Amino acid sequence: MEIKTQIMINATPDKVWAVLTDFENYPNWNPFIKSIIGEPKVGSQITVSIAPPDGKIMTFKPVVVVFNPNREFRWVGKLFFKGLFDGEHKFELIDRGNGTTIFYHSETFKGMLVRLFKKKLENSTKKGFEMMNENLKRRVENSMNQ
């Protein structure tokens, strides 16, 4: 199962990336991912706390699998053990070459429990992604106007 969202941001990828990877400021603008702690380098484990709308805060300890500045940040996490409920979370920036960036925000879920949580993922989790996308757009575009 996959959740896919996207938004167009009126800024270059480096401007979007600067806000996206400024984890210290997530509590100031990000309604979905409340915090990311750790060094985002390939192979390292980070701590991610999310707050889906209408849900409680959950904390995961995924491993970074891609960290390509101004392009892509991806991690893989699991619930308890591999194969139960695994997720690959992805942020991707596409430079449109005209001062705008398409921000793709997605996650692919696999495992025995995915079917059980499918409705919640399609509704609450997807809504959380969209809220984050809107707030990221607002934050980046506002920072350029200051």
Side-chain angles (χ1 to χ4, degrees):
M1 188 208 151
E2 186 173 19
I3 295 173
K4 289 182 182 180
T5 63
Q6 71 179 58
I7 195 165
M8 201 265 295
I9 301 174
N10 293 305
T12 56
D14 61 311
K15 304 283 189 220
V16 178
W17 188 261
V19 172
L20 187 65
T21 57
D22 180 10
F23 305 137
E24 263 182 44
N25 277 305
Y26 269 35
N28 298 325
W29 67 268
N30 196 330
F32 182 68
I33 299 178
K34 294 302 187 181
S35 70
I36 295 179
I37 299 166
E39 191 177 346
K41 65 178 186 184
V42 174
S44 69
Q45 186 176 57
I46 56 176
T47 301
V48 179
S49 293
I50 64 166
D54 312 321
K56 55 184 189 234
I57 292 182
M58 295 179 281
T59 300
F60 302 95
K61 293 187 178 279
V63 173
V64 176
V65 292
V66 175
F67 191 79
N68 188 349
N70 301 326
R71 289 210 178 110
E72 185 179 355
F73 178 24
R74 192 169 2 135
W75 66 72
V76 175
K78 63 186 181 303
L79 184 64
F80 304 121
F81 58 86
K82 189 169 175 45
L84 190 62
F85 187 88
D86 306 332
E88 183 169 336
H89 203 103
K90 180 178 179 181
F91 302 124
E92 186 177 12
L93 308 180
I94 304 298
D95 186 350
R96 298 191 61 221
N98 62 358
T100 64
T101 302
I102 300 290
F103 175 66
Y104 288 105
H105 183 182
S106 64
E107 187 155 3
T108 303
F109 299 95
K110 296 176 183 165
M112 295 184 289
L113 294 181
V114 171
R115 193 175 300 129
L116 187 64
F117 293 107
K118 188 172 195 246
K119 200 167 233 24
K120 187 170 182 70
L121 292 169
E122 289 174 337
N123 297 315
S124 181
T125 304
K126 184 172 185 180
K127 183 177 175 188
F129 281 29
E130 290 168 344
M131 289 168 53
M132 176 184 162
N133 298 356
E134 289 289 337
N135 283 358
L136 175 64
K137 175 182 173 70
R138 196 173 308 117
R139 179 109 176 158
V140 170
E141 291 177 359
N142 286 345
S143 74
M144 293 181 54
N145 294 328
Q146 293 177 0

